[in-house]
């Protein structure tokens, strides 16, 4: 068997969804949601990235091994971000214990 | 017309295995790229956590319209890339050439808009260096924001330049009938690279351009 050929109609639909999400993130950015602005922006960005990866990059019909490599990359990126940010975000806690504000 | 024997390298069992190996290698490369950009996204995250107000304030000096247009241009180019791959899959050389040409042109449009934005930044003295001018209380952290802005968009633009070069080579190869429904791996792999660069921009756009818009005029002395 050969590769899975995705019809152009699917690509155009994904393309339209990507443009709609870009417009959504633009509009939402003007609404004051407090701390949820960054959450909304990142959620939309992740959604767009997933659409690109699954359909444009053909991940949806790729072998499991490709999924493992892509997931592994995200996992390591998660380690990079989570461990470093947890360091920076918790430094103030110790200062509080030491009697500083 | 090139058929399977000329397409298949001798160290692979069949064309499907060969294609799978190529795709896997490209994904591994893209993972290294994720880590490459990841360091910059990490720096951005830390400094934005430390200086949230200054980052929001500095972000308002970017041209949101040009950023949004460039986002749309890149999404269009991703569409032309997948349609180019599709054209190769169904063996339509004419369409393939047109979509490759469209991709190159859209990439150049993106770089042109980016160049215009950079020129504005230089004119406004927002380029970190001895010429940097930023009135108000946020001068130092704003310099950090613009350093990250130029590092991240600059690295992204460098990837665009490389991508356009790659697609120019693919255009010549397609012109000489190098691709067929049996063999289009270079198109597929270059497409993966292009989409990855698109994804990077999908995150850069909201993180750089859109973080200060919901705040009523903050800062400025």
């Amino acid at each position: 068997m050969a590769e899975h050929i995705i019809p152009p109609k699917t690509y155009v639909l994904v393309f339209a969804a990507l443009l709609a999400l870009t417009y959504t993130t633009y509009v939402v950015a003007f609404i004051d949601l407090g701390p949820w602005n960054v959450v909304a922006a990142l959620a939309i960005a992740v959604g767009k990235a997933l659409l690109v990866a699954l359909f444009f990059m053909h991940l949806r019909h790729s072998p499991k091994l490709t999924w493992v490599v892509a997931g592994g990359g995200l996992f390591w990126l998660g380690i990079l971000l989570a461990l470093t940010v947890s360091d920076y975000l918790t430094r103030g806690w110790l200062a509080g214990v030491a009697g500083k504000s | 017309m090139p058929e399977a024997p000329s397409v298949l390298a001798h160290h692979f069992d069949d064309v499907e295995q060969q294609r799978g190996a190529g795709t896997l290698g490209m994904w591994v490369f893209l993972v290294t790229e994720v880590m490459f950009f990841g360091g910059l996204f990490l720096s951005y995250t830390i400094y934005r956590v430390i200086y949230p107000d200054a980052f929001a304030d500095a972000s308002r000096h970017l041209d949101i319209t040009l950023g949004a247009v460039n986002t749309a241009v890149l999404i269009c180019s991703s569409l032309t890339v997948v349609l180019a791959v599709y054209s190769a899959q169904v063996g339509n050389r004419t369409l393939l050439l047109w979509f490759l040409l469209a991709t190159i042109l859209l990439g150049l449009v993106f770089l042109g808009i980016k160049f215009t934005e950079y020129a504005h930044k230089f004119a406004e003295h927002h380029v970190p260096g001895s010429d940097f001018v930023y009135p108000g209380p946020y001068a130092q952290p704003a310099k950090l924001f613009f350093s990250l802005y130029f590092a991240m968009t600059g690295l992204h633009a460098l990837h665009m330049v490389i991508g356009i070069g790659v697609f120019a080579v693919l255009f010549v190869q397609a012109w000489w009938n190098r691709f067929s429904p049996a063999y289009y791996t270079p198109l597929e792999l270059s497409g993966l690279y292009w989409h990855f660069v698109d994804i990077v921009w999908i995150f850069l756009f909201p993180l750089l351009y859109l973080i200060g818009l919901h705040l009523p005029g903050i800062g400025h002395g």
Side-chain angles (χ1 to χ4, degrees):
Chain A
M1 67 152 255
E3 77 298 343
H4 189 278
I5 297 182
I6 299 177
K9 194 181 151 201
T10 308
Y11 290 139
V12 173
L13 284 176
V14 170
F15 166 75
L18 287 171
L19 284 185
L21 284 171
T22 303
Y23 182 71
T24 309
T25 195
Y26 177 79
V27 170
V28 168
F30 284 93
I31 306 166
D32 190 0
L33 303 171
W36 294 98
N37 272 97
V38 65
V39 177
L42 285 177
I44 293 172
V46 167
K48 288 167 73 180
L50 278 178
L51 282 176
V52 172
L54 286 175
F55 293 97
F56 285 180
M57 298 173 86
H58 303 146
L59 196 54
R60 195 159 163 261
H61 296 285
S62 291
K64 289 281 180 287
L65 190 55
T66 311
W67 282 79
V68 171
V69 170
L74 289 183
F75 181 69
W76 253 261
L77 181 69
I79 292 176
L80 178 75
L81 292 173
L83 293 191
T84 316
V85 169
S86 67
D87 170 13
Y88 272 88
L89 287 184
T90 52
R91 286 183 185 189
W93 297 0
L94 277 179
V97 171
K100 301 175 197 164
S101 58
Chain B
M1 152 168 185
E3 269 311 329
S6 65
V7 161
L8 182 66
H10 67 87
H11 51 286
F12 290 110
D13 291 337
D14 53 45
V15 172
E16 197 184 343
Q17 187 199 36
Q18 174 173 276
R19 188 183 291 131
T23 308
L24 184 65
M26 195 63 199
W27 274 96
V28 170
F29 168 68
L30 292 183
V31 167
T32 71
E33 289 274 79
V34 167
M35 301 311 288
F36 189 20
F37 278 96
L40 283 169
F41 278 101
L42 175 64
S43 311
Y44 168 92
T45 307
I46 289 167
Y47 283 122
R48 185 172 163 190
V49 165
I50 298 176
Y51 306 111
D53 296 339
F55 267 47
D57 193 55
S59 166
R60 291 160 70 98
H61 291 278
L62 298 180
D63 193 320
I64 297 107
T65 308
L66 289 184
V69 168
N70 251 355
T71 308
V73 167
L74 265 197
I75 292 173
C76 288
S77 75
S78 264
L79 178 69
T80 56
V81 166
V82 287
L83 291 177
V85 172
Y86 173 82
S87 305
Q89 285 174 330
V90 297
N92 189 332
R93 175 176 169 274
T94 312
L95 268 183
L96 170 60
L97 287 170
W98 277 114
F99 282 128
L100 288 176
L101 186 65
T103 305
I104 294 167
L105 290 177
L106 286 167
L108 290 173
V109 167
F110 178 93
L111 287 178
I113 291 175
K114 202 74 229 150
F115 181 82
T116 311
E117 287 188 76
Y118 279 3
H120 288 168
K121 290 289 118 204
F122 274 94
E124 291 166 356
H125 301 284
H126 282 162
V127 183
S130 59
D131 212 20
F132 187 78
V133 178
Y134 196 89
Y138 297 131
Q140 285 307 316
K143 199 184 264 184
L144 276 175
F145 175 85
F146 285 114
S147 297
L148 283 166
Y149 166 77
F150 278 104
M152 296 171 99
T153 59
L155 186 63
H156 178 268
L158 179 65
H159 279 77
M160 294 288 299
V161 171
I162 294 169
I164 290 169
V166 166
F167 276 92
V169 171
L170 291 177
F171 183 87
V172 174
Q173 290 184 330
W175 186 270
W176 294 112
N177 269 317
R178 279 285 308 280
F179 305 119
S180 66
Y183 179 73
Y184 57 88
T185 304
L187 291 165
E188 170 80 17
L189 300 193
S190 308
L192 288 179
Y193 171 83
W194 192 268
H195 298 310
F196 166 79
V197 176
D198 188 11
I199 287 178
V200 171
W201 185 262
I202 282 174
F203 283 95
L204 285 181
F205 174 59
L207 290 178
L208 293 174
Y209 290 78
L210 302 180
I211 61 178
L213 300 176
H214 62 286
L215 303 169
I218 51 171
H220 298 299

